[in-house]
Amino acid sequence: MRVESKEIIQSSQWHQLSTNEITHHLETNLETGLSESVVAKRQSHFGANELKAKPGTSPIVKFLQQFNQPLLYILLIAGAIKAIIEQWVNAWVIWGVTLINAIIGFIQESKAESAIAALASSVRTNATILRNGKKIQVPSTELVPGDIVLLASGDKVPADLRLVQTRNLQINESALTGESIAVEKNSQPVNADIPLAERTNMAYAGTFVTFGTGSGIVVAIGEATETGRLSQLIEQGTSLKTPLTRKFDKFSRTLLYIILGIATLTFAVGLGYGNSWAEMFEAAVAFAVSAIPEGLPAVVTVTLAIGVSRMARRHAIVRKLPAVETLGGATVICSDKTGTLTENQMTVQGIYGGGQYYTVTGVGYAPPGEILLHEKQVDLNTSPVLVECLIAGLLCNDARLEEKDEQWQVIGDPTEGALIAAANKIGFNKSNLEREIPRLDVIPFESEFQYMATLHQGKKLSPNTHHSELSTQNSALSTQDSSLSTIYIKGSVEAILKFCRQMLDAEGEIVPIQANTIHSSVNAMAQQGLRVLAFAKKNVPTTKNSLDHGDIQNDLIFLGLQGMIDPPRSEAIIAVQACQEAGIQVKMITGDHAVTAQAIAKRMGFNKNGEVMAFTGQQLAQMDNQQLKTAVEDGVVFARVAPEQKLRIVEALQSKGEIVAMTGDGVNDAPALKQADIGIAMGGAGTEVAKEASDMILTDDNFASIQAAVEEGRTVYRNLLKAIAFILPVNGGESMTILISVLFARVLPILSLQVLWLNMVNSIAMTVPLAFEPSSKRVMQQPPRNPRQPLLSGNLIKRIGVISVFNWILIFGMFEWIRQTTANIDLARTMAIQALVAGRVFYLLSISKLGAIIIDTIRGVKHNISDASAIIVGIVATIVLQIIFSQWSLMNNLFSTAPLNLSQWLICVVAGLPMILVAALVNRFDPLD
């Protein structure tokens, strides 16, 4: 049989074939469908109509993968070294930190890689089909190529269908194509190279029928459908590391090589001095332990986790821990239009009638709003043509609006929902009006004729039909009495105008039509991105109770135009501007029409060097990789793009070194969301597919929350740099102390266990509070950091070097002075450590909010001390821990320390004071704000 090749089913361009060619190719019958025997054979060959979930990684492997990070290698090596020298307590402490680190990462990423399963659930449904000449319902999983599927309003399309019969069929494909308006379908073949969004003879799995009926032949099931192709794109998407993990990997490897290199050098030089092999091995191990920042991985994890918590409070849920920082480093945000930047609710914004242009306020389907003329609320008693135009839109209409969970929703076509909402703004009620002027007949919209018409019984309206504040009926309504019935027509401007010879003027009088003026208004509205519908009426005798096309095609009276658009969110406009001010490029990627997308972009303030350059999917398809890179760099709007083109755009931007954030809510966004450095899905309106492919989910579906998330992401990165700048100088001072002592055959001023206390307990107690540092006022006034900039910049390395040298002088100087004056090595080591900690406290003040608050308070400037509460807690905790470290006998025995008296404590504090001047110096060339 001809359908036994899966390759043919997947590769054929069904939209270009005629109905006869398809029935011949698939060996099916439009009248009877397939027989049960044929169905059984095809089910055996093609399998079920479902998407196969990618086999998941076992939990054990996922957990072990958490250790596959160079930064954790350092901890594992440190623990191994401690085990080799039989310091088991130290070894287990270090391994415990590593284990905690891995557990946190495992919990954060446990839901990853489930996008395919979400895709599968998004397309399962029941289907009405023809089999053996009977109409039956079956689960969509049982469909096979060649099945005849019957579609009706409200159905979810169960497989990819080539339509063979349609009657006013309209399908909402926004989740697949990004097109916000339902697409009118027909059964005529189209060109082979036409974009997916314009294949009007196809119905795709997972989309929804909003109006009309139709039937089609199943041409693709499961992974061969367009939704299935998206599933494969998600699987094929490169699993990129985030900029943070890339930089930490490089930093960790570099640090590891340096430590191993110097430890080896120390071992070799010591042997050259005639020291024993065992002594030099222990010295090399001591140096390695002092140089390894054991507390850094834990601090990084905690800092990111705190960022997750902060973002959650600002409506951004992070699914993968490093994504917290990634958004802060984003250089480009690629945003889907429909439902992300816009309301995803068609809204009438302009009405033309009688030579006058009315502005409509309000957003979406909700009733609040006004109709204005010359910026003043319109007087309906003197605006009969406006009332007639709104009545036409309300009665020539099959949709309805419902309020659910305090949100207004349209049942039916979104365009018709917008017309109802516009009429509601002046008090009209569709149900009341239909009772007053009952519908007798209807000609549904058909793409061949481009209009819809309804016949209504003639009857004079009662005073309560419309806005209760009207004192008298206007002339337009009062003419609708029982002697005449009325035909209301809506449709494309071209279809309506050719049947009109007359129009209503501003006073509601019938005058000759002014076609040129009307076309000028249409053009003006179209330039704003509005979709324009024309409205007309015709009075007929009450004896007429049915309609045909002949009734429509003469003597119509033109009433006016209504222009609508899916409007941008007001808060998204502010967010886009804020992102651009922060140096982040914002680009719109949509499946919608270029003119509409460009108009929305201009309204929202999108621009690149003052221009709003737009490219279409067809243009992108003809570009080679180099041309595409240029286009994505210069372009602001990318319209009518296919899902794989969204993926190409993201990849092209990444190839130019950009850190790309991608927002979206539809199935069509999922591959690009997964490929982007950070994918951001909408939590409410977003599909499960988009959510599962993302790194972050906005719970309020508000693009404006991205601005807050960017701010938090930048703050996290700044706080991480502060943590590194605080931790590494201690390791630098410790390692310099041990290295120089070994090279000059001096007594070690600090022991390995004491090093571990400083690196783990003291560093974590003092560094974790830095993760709570609030955002700086300047954080959103700076351009994104260069993604090629290493984690340790030149200035940061200088800072670390200067502070390390001071720490070495402090440790070595205090140790030698006390040892020589008291001959008590334990006391000398204890005071050296306490002097180092005192210096660290002053350094912490210099890079934290608390230091700035103290300085401003001295100057008489008041601050909210709660902004620095975490630092205060950290300093207090450090002081308490250091008192325990030296004053408790158990700690004296464990760490070889000695108790201090008050004068010795004061000496340590005074010795640390010069850190204030040193910190002020490094802050001049490397400000961490």
Side-chain angles (χ1 to χ4, degrees):
M1 57 193 268
R2 296 182 180 86
V3 294
E4 286 183 354
S5 168
K6 287 189 178 181
E7 288 69 32
I8 292 177
I9 295 298
Q10 291 176 352
S11 63
S12 293
Q13 293 180 307
W14 301 103
H15 53 278
Q16 68 177 326
L17 302 179
S18 69
T19 301
N20 288 337
E21 289 175 310
I22 293 172
T23 55
H24 178 71
H25 183 80
L26 294 175
E27 295 183 346
T28 189
N29 187 299
L30 297 180
E31 302 299 325
T32 61
L34 299 174
S35 66
E36 290 296 341
S37 60
V38 171
V39 169
K41 291 179 181 178
R42 295 188 183 183
Q43 284 178 340
S44 174
H45 182 76
F46 292 106
N49 176 31
E50 60 186 2
L51 301 177
K52 304 296 182 184
K54 183 180 177 181
T57 306
S58 73
I60 294 176
V61 174
K62 280 184 181 179
F63 179 72
L64 292 177
Q65 286 173 344
Q66 304 301 317
F67 295 93
N68 187 25
Q69 303 175 36
L71 203 58
L72 293 187
Y73 297 162
I74 295 176
L75 282 181
L76 293 171
I77 291 171
I81 292 172
K82 287 295 183 180
I84 289 172
I85 61 178
E86 297 186 353
Q87 294 184 2
W88 292 106
V89 174
N90 299 352
W92 284 115
V93 168
I94 295 174
W95 285 337
V97 171
T98 309
L99 183 64
I100 292 171
N101 209 48
I103 291 172
I104 292 173
F106 175 75
I107 293 172
Q108 285 291 334
E109 298 183 9
S110 61
K111 290 185 178 180
E113 308 302 332
S114 57
I116 310 304
L119 270 167
S121 64
S122 76
V123 298
R124 287 177 185 157
T125 184
N126 287 329
T128 303
I129 64 171
L130 285 177
R131 277 191 188 162
N132 292 323
K134 297 179 181 179
K135 185 167 75 171
I136 60 173
Q137 273 204 340
V138 298
S140 64
T141 55
E142 296 181 10
L143 294 181
V144 296
D147 264 326
I148 308 300
V149 176
L150 307 179
L151 298 175
S153 181
D155 287 350
K156 180 189 280 189
V157 179
D160 282 3
L161 311 177
R162 169 62 165 85
L163 297 171
V164 295
Q165 182 273 328
T166 64
R167 180 170 174 79
N168 312 315
L169 182 65
Q170 297 180 22
I171 296 180
N172 187 327
E173 298 178 338
S174 60
L176 185 64
T177 67
E179 171 66 74
S180 56
I181 299 172
V183 180
E184 300 162 12
K185 296 294 185 177
N186 59 55
S187 59
Q188 300 304 311
V190 293
N191 293 335
D193 59 352
I194 201 163
L196 183 144
E198 297 176 14
R199 296 174 189 171
T200 54
N201 59 6
M202 296 292 296
Y204 293 108
T207 60
F208 289 89
V209 178
T210 61
F211 190 78
T213 60
S215 62
I217 304 173
V218 175
V219 294
I221 63 172
E223 294 182 357
T225 63
E226 288 296 328
T227 303
R229 290 180 61 250
L230 285 172
S231 162
Q232 294 163 23
L233 286 173
I234 293 174
E235 286 193 37
Q236 293 165 4
T238 306
S239 181
L240 294 180
K241 290 188 174 183
T242 69
L244 179 65
T245 57
R246 285 194 292 261
K247 288 177 180 179
F248 262 105
D249 285 353
K250 185 175 181 180
F251 163 70
S252 302
R253 284 193 298 268
T254 303
L255 184 61
L256 187 59
Y257 296 151
I258 291 173
I259 291 171
L260 294 177
I262 296 178
T264 303
L265 179 63
T266 302
F267 180 78
V269 170
L271 288 179
Y273 282 165
N275 294 319
S276 70
W277 181 92
E279 288 176 335
M280 285 303 96
F281 179 75
E282 187 171 348
V285 167
F287 169 79
V289 171
S290 69
I292 292 173
E294 291 94 343
L296 187 57
V299 168
V300 169
T301 302
V302 169
T303 303
L304 292 176
I306 291 168
V308 169
S309 176
R310 280 181 170 179
M311 286 187 175
R313 290 197 295 270
R314 302 183 78 171
H315 308 293
I317 303 299
V318 175
R319 297 181 66 244
K320 298 176 184 178
L321 205 55
V324 178
E325 176 275 338
T326 310
L327 186 59
T331 58
V332 179
I333 297 177
C334 295
S335 177
D336 182 53
K337 178 183 73 67
T338 305
T340 305
L341 292 168
T342 64
E343 297 284 352
N344 202 17
Q345 293 187 349
M346 294 299 290
T347 305
V348 173
Q349 294 196 334
I351 301 174
Y352 171 85
Q356 295 181 317
Y357 186 80
Y358 301 87
T359 303
V360 184
T361 65
V363 176
Y365 305 128
E370 298 177 330
I371 299 180
L372 307 176
L373 178 63
H374 306 310
E375 299 184 357
K376 295 181 180 180
Q377 187 169 355
V378 69
D379 182 356
L380 297 182
N381 289 306
T382 59
S383 307
V385 67
L386 170 65
V387 173
E388 283 280 13
C389 188
L390 290 170
I391 288 176
L394 196 59
L395 293 178
C396 190
N397 194 313
D398 285 325
R400 69 179 191 275
L401 297 181
E402 289 184 355
E403 188 176 17
K404 185 177 181 181
D405 298 329
E406 298 184 355
Q407 294 288 327
W408 285 89
Q409 300 175 348
V410 62
I411 309 300
D413 184 81
T415 298
E416 294 190 328
L419 298 175
I420 298 173
N424 287 347
K425 295 181 194 302
I426 63 168
F428 280 117
N429 181 282
K430 189 171 188 285
S431 298
N432 291 344
L433 201 58
E434 287 175 334
R435 282 195 296 269
E436 295 286 346
I437 316 175
R439 180 189 290 187
L440 301 177
D441 199 11
V442 60
I443 298 177
F445 182 90
E446 295 183 45
S447 55
E448 178 184 354
F449 297 100
Q450 291 292 308
Y451 61 73
M452 172 184 178
T454 55
L455 172 63
H456 295 268
Q457 177 181 312
K459 185 175 181 180
K460 189 170 182 178
L461 296 177
S462 62
N464 63 358
T465 301
H466 59 91
H467 205 290
S468 59
E469 295 181 2
L470 291 179
S471 58
T472 59
Q473 298 298 308
N474 60 63
S475 59
L477 291 176
S478 61
T479 59
Q480 290 178 290
D481 56 29
S482 58
S483 64
L484 292 173
S485 292
T486 304
I487 302 172
Y488 285 111
I489 310 99
K490 79 167 188 287
S492 70
V493 177
E494 295 78 8
I496 301 298
L497 280 185
K498 67 182 179 182
F499 303 135
C500 295
R501 296 292 179 267
Q502 295 175 312
M503 60 180 279
L504 291 186
D505 65 8
E507 285 73 38
E509 300 297 330
I510 296 175
V511 297
I513 195 164
Q514 300 170 5
N516 290 338
T517 303
I518 294 170
H519 280 298
S520 296
S521 296
V522 171
N523 291 335
M525 295 168 82
Q527 287 175 2
Q528 299 176 51
L530 301 180
R531 183 189 184 201
V532 182
L533 290 179
F535 299 84
K537 76 171 187 176
K538 181 179 180 179
N539 294 324
V540 295
T542 55
T543 54
K544 187 171 184 60
N545 54 21
S546 64
L547 276 179
D548 59 45
H549 289 289
D551 298 321
I552 309 303
Q553 296 172 358
N554 58 74
D555 300 329
L556 299 187
I557 301 172
F558 178 79
L559 300 177
L561 309 168
Q562 294 194 48
M564 63 195 69
I565 196 171
D566 180 11
R569 298 173 182 262
S570 57
E571 62 272 22
I573 296 174
I574 298 172
V576 167
Q577 292 173 347
C579 288
Q580 290 177 336
E581 288 172 1
I584 303 169
Q585 299 179 61
V586 186
K587 300 179 185 294
M588 180 190 294
I589 305 179
T590 177
D592 214 339
H593 293 281
V595 173
T596 303
Q598 200 167 20
I600 291 287
K602 289 178 179 177
R603 285 194 190 191
M604 301 191 71
F606 280 73
N607 74 86
K608 177 71 180 290
N609 300 323
E611 295 184 23
V612 184
M613 190 176 295
F615 293 93
T616 65
Q618 284 185 322
Q619 290 174 315
L620 296 178
Q622 297 169 2
M623 296 179 183
D624 59 29
N625 287 337
Q626 190 56 47
Q627 291 172 322
L628 180 65
K629 289 179 183 179
T630 303
V632 299
E633 186 68 22
D634 297 337
V636 174
V637 174
F638 302 89
R640 305 303 273 177
V641 295
E644 52 265 45
Q645 289 176 322
K646 291 187 178 186
L647 196 58
R648 282 190 71 201
I649 291 169
V650 172
E651 290 172 335
L653 287 166
Q654 289 173 331
S655 71
K656 295 181 73 66
E658 305 286 2
I659 304 299
V660 182
M662 169 75 183
T663 74
D665 59 0
V667 176
N668 62 320
D669 298 320
L673 284 172
K674 190 173 178 69
Q675 176 65 26
D677 292 284
I678 178 166
I680 308 169
M682 302 296 120
T687 61
E688 287 301 312
V689 180
K691 293 175 190 176
E692 294 297 335
S694 68
D695 303 289
M696 180 182 292
I697 299 171
L698 300 184
T699 58
D700 60 353
D701 285 13
N702 194 338
F703 184 88
S705 296
I706 294 176
Q707 176 193 351
V710 168
E711 181 181 329
E712 290 295 346
R714 290 186 173 190
T715 299
V716 165
Y717 191 80
R718 185 202 61 174
N719 290 347
L720 282 174
L721 290 183
K722 285 185 178 182
I724 292 170
F726 185 75
I727 286 179
L728 291 188
V730 173
N731 296 98
E734 293 167 349
S735 56
M736 288 173 64
T737 299
I738 292 173
L739 179 61
I740 292 172
S741 297
V742 169
L743 294 179
F744 289 95
R746 310 284 294 181
V747 177
L748 289 178
I750 187 169
L751 300 177
S752 58
L753 197 57
Q754 294 168 343
V755 168
L756 193 63
W757 170 271
L758 286 170
N759 289 2
M760 294 292 294
V761 180
N762 181 261
S763 284
I764 291 176
M766 299 183 73
T767 310
V768 166
L770 286 172
F772 293 90
E773 283 282 273
S775 297
S776 164
K777 293 179 180 179
R778 298 174 56 236
V779 75
M780 287 300 286
Q781 298 172 358
Q782 300 169 342
R785 62 183 176 274
N786 187 338
R788 299 177 184 84
Q789 179 181 318
L791 191 64
L792 298 185
S793 64
N795 284 340
L796 185 56
I797 291 173
K798 291 176 186 176
R799 167 188 283 273
I800 292 170
V802 170
I803 302 298
S804 295
V805 169
F806 177 82
N807 286 339
W808 166 68
I809 294 172
L810 193 58
I811 296 170
F812 210 85
M814 181 63 73
F815 172 78
E816 287 297 325
W817 178 46
I818 299 299
R819 185 177 73 89
Q820 292 178 17
T821 56
T822 66
N824 187 336
I825 291 181
D826 286 349
L827 178 63
R829 285 172 174 155
T830 303
M831 292 188 68
I833 291 171
Q834 302 294 25
L836 173 64
V837 172
R840 296 190 79 186
V841 170
F842 294 126
Y843 181 44
L844 180 64
L845 290 174
S846 75
I847 63 174
S848 67
K849 182 75 172 178
L850 181 58
I853 289 175
I854 292 172
I855 293 173
D856 285 346
T857 302
I858 294 172
R859 294 173 177 171
V861 179
K862 292 185 178 180
H863 276 283
N864 185 358
I865 195 68
S866 63
D867 288 346
S869 57
I871 297 295
I872 294 173
V873 171
I875 291 175
V876 171
T878 296
I879 293 171
V880 172
L881 287 169
Q882 290 308 121
I883 291 174
I884 293 173
F885 178 72
S886 64
Q887 304 304 114
W888 189 15
S889 58
L890 177 63
M891 301 296 280
N892 297 153
N893 294 330
L894 183 61
F895 288 97
S896 300
T897 58
L900 307 183
N901 58 38
L902 182 60
S903 62
Q904 290 168 336
W905 277 107
L906 291 175
I907 289 171
C908 293
V909 173
V910 171
L913 283 175
M915 175 64 84
I916 297 174
L917 297 177
V918 176
L921 173 66
V922 296
N923 283 342
R924 291 181 65 87
F925 65 78
D926 183 39
L928 289 174
D929 251 352

